[in-house]
Amino acid sequence: MANDQLGAAFRLLTSKGFVSTGHRHGRRTFRGILNCSSLPISISLEISDWDFLVYPVIKILEYPSHLPALLPHLSSEGNLCYFAPGSIVLDRYNPATAIDQCLVQATDVLNKILEDSDYRIHDIQNEFLSHWLLDQGRIPWLVLKGTIDTAKVSTNYFIIGDDNNRKAIISDDVNEVEIIAGSLGFSKPKISKCKCWILHTEKFPAIPDNSLPKTVKELFEWLKSWDNILYVRFQNILEKEQEYLQYSFVTFAISSPVGWVGFGFDLDTITLLAAKKTAGKRGAKLYKQFLHGRGGVGNIFRVHIADISADFVHNRNLSFSDLKDKRIVLIGCGAIGGFLAQSLVRLGAGTGYRGELILIDPDTLAPDNLGRHVLGYSSLFKLKAVALRDELLKQFPLSRIFAEPINITKYSKLFASDLLIDATGEEAISEMLNASQIAKRPKAPPILHIWIVGNGEATQSLWVDSEKYGCFHCLRLPNTQNYREERYKILKAEPERGFIGCQAFTPYAVSASISAAALATDSIIDWIKGDPSPRFRTRGVENANIRQVKNQNISPLDGCVACRNA
């Protein structure tokens, strides 16, 4: 940072009434006032990174007494979150302007906090889990969450790992937990007799006037203000579910619009013994009465519930449905198919009750494949379908992925699927699949063909799903002087060909494989959303010497012997 740039920044702060309060190890701290619309706010400003990869820290020094204890964008230590990380790029060459941006934004955020109660409530609800997990004196207990039947009132605890790295999982599915434990390198999980009690609500959490609940009695009041039906169900568990009296603590997990909210509290030993001695179902009722009396002063602890279920993992980043419960058949596990299979699994292929991803390829991974394949040396000389399946299951062990290292003509369930993907890049195979799909209409599933053009100058895909649109064979013109002339010409020159012995191959870089997989993925996403248009797509490399081909739904070609029988 040049001295004149630093000088400009310091002059700006001085002009705004800020004074320097420290300079240690590259950190400069200033104290001053933000002139908010309703009252001035005293703050400290700490700058530790003059590249502004980390925004300056603004801390509220004097908390406004008329405001509630719980505020959005403000930590319990008084640190103000005024820019979301990475949302704004501050100019490292103009630190004065960068600092001024921070102060203006901080003032704007504080004005909203001070004046708009609806803004306060809405923003706290949106970032509720951050407050729930951080606004307390102790680190929350981490519990992983697997698949849970929403109709059940409780689920099981499992313990995986060793004493140095133990983790708790709540799940209804012991097989799921065993798979997760194995993928993490742990031995067989141990089931705990302790239960986690499950509740559900469609309402956003209530925001208390003061702090979030810290005692059992405060918890009761908070749940009642949040959702009275939720509160009643919670009280019913305390009164009627005798099983929780067998343990020294009880925990709950609430499924809500903001995510899973977890909490628990220790059970009083003396009262617990008395409750256990009470006959019938009166023991739980007795303990509930204790909690509503002097037991209500006991502290609660909060639970950090980290969802690792397949539904959450594959849906979390999507604004649309995933491939859950879809049966996907991928033909070709080579350069394109390898990268495409990774995308399919991340989109949820192989999850759900009937979901499956079937990988078909009879070939082995050879040394000449490695330069543009998703697999590496550890898979060398292994069957591509098997090696790809094994690699995907390492990453996503809960997915149902099957390898069929056979010729496609020997796979009898080829069209017993929701989607068939042809990633072979071999035109003869594509023509055969096209003919078979047409013969099975209207019961045949859609088929997506994906291929690389030339030496990677472009990638193309064609979605074939009905007689209304052109088939794969419609991409070649019939009865022309040039045999099998392309309907949509893209290359301006013949591609290079390589030869090793009598074996020919088309050289292209790994980027072409990745681009083709991305193009196919985008087409599949549009299908998930309800419309795979444009069915014929072309994606060219920026500097490639190619013709422009329009993305479109192609019409059937007059005289096409495949789909028109002319």
Side-chain angles (χ1 to χ4, degrees):
M1 182 70 63
N3 289 333
D4 59 335
Q5 294 173 334
L6 281 175
F10 298 154
R11 287 192 294 274
L12 169 83
L13 289 168
T14 300
S15 70
K16 291 181 175 292
F18 281 78
V19 296
S20 177
T21 58
H23 178 204
R24 296 185 61 187
H25 306 296
R27 297 176 182 268
R28 291 183 180 267
T29 308
F30 304 84
R31 182 166 181 161
I33 300 292
L34 291 183
N35 292 309
C36 298
S37 54
S38 57
L39 77 164
I41 301 291
S42 178
I43 70 162
S44 68
L45 174 73
E46 181 185 273
I47 306 172
S48 60
D49 178 12
W50 291 95
D51 290 318
F52 299 114
L53 302 177
V54 177
Y55 299 140
V57 175
I58 294 178
K59 184 174 183 177
I60 308 301
L61 299 179
E62 297 175 7
Y63 193 87
S65 58
H66 70 284
L67 290 178
L70 188 61
L71 293 175
H73 309 303
L74 200 62
S75 72
S76 56
E77 294 82 20
N79 290 338
L80 179 68
C81 177
Y82 54 95
F83 282 139
S87 61
I88 296 293
V89 177
L90 299 176
D91 190 351
R92 66 182 306 277
Y93 297 105
N94 192 346
T97 298
I99 293 168
D100 193 42
Q101 280 182 269
C102 297
L103 296 175
V104 169
Q105 177 68 10
T107 303
D108 183 56
V109 170
L110 283 172
N111 280 333
K112 292 178 181 177
I113 292 174
L114 292 168
E115 300 173 6
D116 191 341
S117 60
D118 289 338
Y119 171 84
R120 292 198 297 265
I121 292 173
H122 181 266
D123 271 46
I124 291 175
Q125 286 179 330
N126 284 339
E127 57 189 40
F128 179 81
L129 289 180
S130 296
H131 290 281
W132 185 251
L133 298 177
L134 297 177
D135 184 27
Q136 59 180 334
R138 61 193 252 188
I139 298 175
W141 182 31
L142 174 63
V143 173
L144 308 179
K145 178 206 154 288
T147 301
I148 294 177
D149 185 350
T150 56
K152 293 183 178 180
V153 72
S154 67
T155 191
N156 300 310
Y157 270 106
F158 296 87
I159 306 299
I160 62 174
D162 53 31
D163 292 337
N164 296 323
N165 189 16
R166 297 180 67 197
K167 299 185 185 299
I169 300 180
I170 51 174
S171 174
D172 294 334
D173 189 346
V174 63
N175 182 61
E176 174 188 60
V177 178
E178 289 177 349
I179 291 172
I180 292 171
S183 70
L184 295 173
F186 296 142
S187 57
K188 190 173 182 179
K190 298 177 182 178
I191 187 169
S192 170
K193 295 180 180 180
C194 186
K195 300 285 186 180
C196 181
W197 304 95
I198 306 299
L199 295 160
H200 306 273
T201 180
E202 295 300 322
K203 295 184 177 181
F204 281 81
I207 305 304
D209 291 334
N210 296 310
S211 60
L212 289 169
K214 292 182 173 61
T215 67
V216 173
K217 189 168 290 187
E218 290 175 357
L219 175 70
F220 289 169
E221 293 301 319
W222 177 61
L223 291 177
K224 187 184 294 185
S225 65
W226 178 356
D227 182 347
N228 192 61
I229 295 175
L230 172 69
Y231 171 76
V232 170
R233 290 172 178 167
F234 172 67
Q235 294 296 327
N236 284 340
I237 292 173
L238 293 177
E239 181 173 337
K240 298 178 181 179
E241 300 293 337
Q242 295 283 112
E243 195 171 359
Y244 79 87
L245 298 176
Q246 305 302 313
Y247 316 110
S248 60
F249 64 90
V250 59
T251 61
F252 298 83
I254 301 175
S255 172
S256 78
V258 300
W260 285 85
V261 180
F263 58 85
F265 47 86
D266 294 328
L267 302 181
D268 181 79
T269 304
I270 297 176
T271 310
L272 193 59
L273 290 174
K276 288 179 180 179
K277 292 178 181 178
T278 304
K281 296 183 177 180
R282 292 185 57 224
K285 187 174 183 179
L286 175 65
Y287 200 86
K288 174 191 167 185
Q289 292 172 347
F290 166 74
L291 292 173
H292 278 270
R294 59 187 179 86
V297 300
N299 290 328
I300 67 169
F301 56 84
R302 299 176 193 171
V303 179
H304 177 194
I305 300 176
D307 199 336
I308 59 170
S309 64
D311 280 351
F312 174 80
V313 168
H314 299 290
N315 256 311
R316 192 254 183 205
N317 295 309
L318 305 182
S319 58
F320 48 87
S321 300
D322 60 13
L323 292 173
K324 179 182 178 181
D325 283 322
K326 294 285 195 295
R327 190 171 189 272
I328 311 294
V329 175
L330 174 62
I331 304 171
C333 298
I336 300 174
F339 288 103
L340 181 54
Q342 284 194 332
S343 296
L344 292 171
V345 172
R346 284 169 169 79
L347 280 174
T351 64
Y353 179 75
R354 64 179 294 274
E356 293 180 344
L357 175 60
I358 297 95
L359 307 175
I360 302 177
D361 196 315
D363 294 337
T364 57
L365 189 72
D368 52 290
N369 300 139
L370 294 181
R372 59 191 188 193
H373 204 282
V374 71
L375 299 173
Y377 273 89
S378 61
S379 300
L380 202 56
F381 307 120
K382 295 180 180 179
L383 291 163
K384 291 180 182 177
V386 174
L388 184 58
R389 176 204 61 193
D390 293 347
E391 180 61 32
L392 292 173
L393 286 175
K394 287 179 184 178
Q395 300 177 37
F396 297 94
L398 299 178
S399 301
R400 287 162 48 84
I401 307 171
F402 302 94
E404 294 289 348
I406 56 176
N407 189 287
I408 56 172
T409 58
K410 297 180 180 180
Y411 185 68
S412 60
K413 300 179 181 179
L414 195 61
F415 290 92
S417 60
D418 297 293
L419 174 62
L420 185 63
I421 304 172
D422 166 26
T424 62
E426 296 185 27
E427 193 170 350
I429 293 179
S430 300
E431 288 281 15
M432 184 273 290
L433 291 171
N434 182 67
S436 299
Q437 194 252 12
I438 292 171
K440 294 182 180 297
R441 289 179 180 173
K443 296 182 179 180
I447 181 169
L448 173 63
H449 303 275
I450 178 73
W451 64 95
I452 294 170
V453 178
N455 299 117
E457 291 92 340
T459 58
Q460 291 184 306
S461 68
L462 178 67
W463 186 280
V464 180
D465 57 353
S466 76
E467 62 182 14
K468 181 180 177 181
Y469 305 104
C471 71
F472 185 82
H473 195 72
C474 291
L475 296 176
R476 297 285 186 180
L477 296 172
N479 305 321
T480 62
Q481 293 182 347
N482 299 319
Y483 177 67
R484 294 180 57 77
E485 183 178 351
E486 293 180 34
R487 183 179 179 182
Y488 304 99
K489 294 181 180 180
I490 183 169
L491 293 179
K492 295 182 178 179
E494 287 296 314
E496 294 181 30
R497 298 283 285 171
F499 296 90
I500 299 179
C502 61
Q503 184 180 16
F505 65 95
T506 303
Y508 56 81
V510 66
S511 56
S513 310
I514 297 172
S515 178
L519 180 64
T521 301
D522 289 340
S523 185
I524 293 167
I525 288 172
D526 287 334
W527 171 62
I528 294 172
K529 291 179 177 179
D531 184 4
S533 300
R535 286 167 171 78
F536 179 51
R537 306 185 183 201
T538 300
R539 189 169 292 175
V541 175
E542 289 76 6
N543 295 322
N545 184 25
I546 56 177
R547 298 180 179 90
Q548 296 300 310
V549 177
K550 179 182 177 181
N551 292 332
Q552 59 191 293
N553 288 327
I554 65 171
S555 59
L557 196 63
D558 290 340
C560 176
V561 296
C563 65
R564 284 296 178 264
N565 293 319

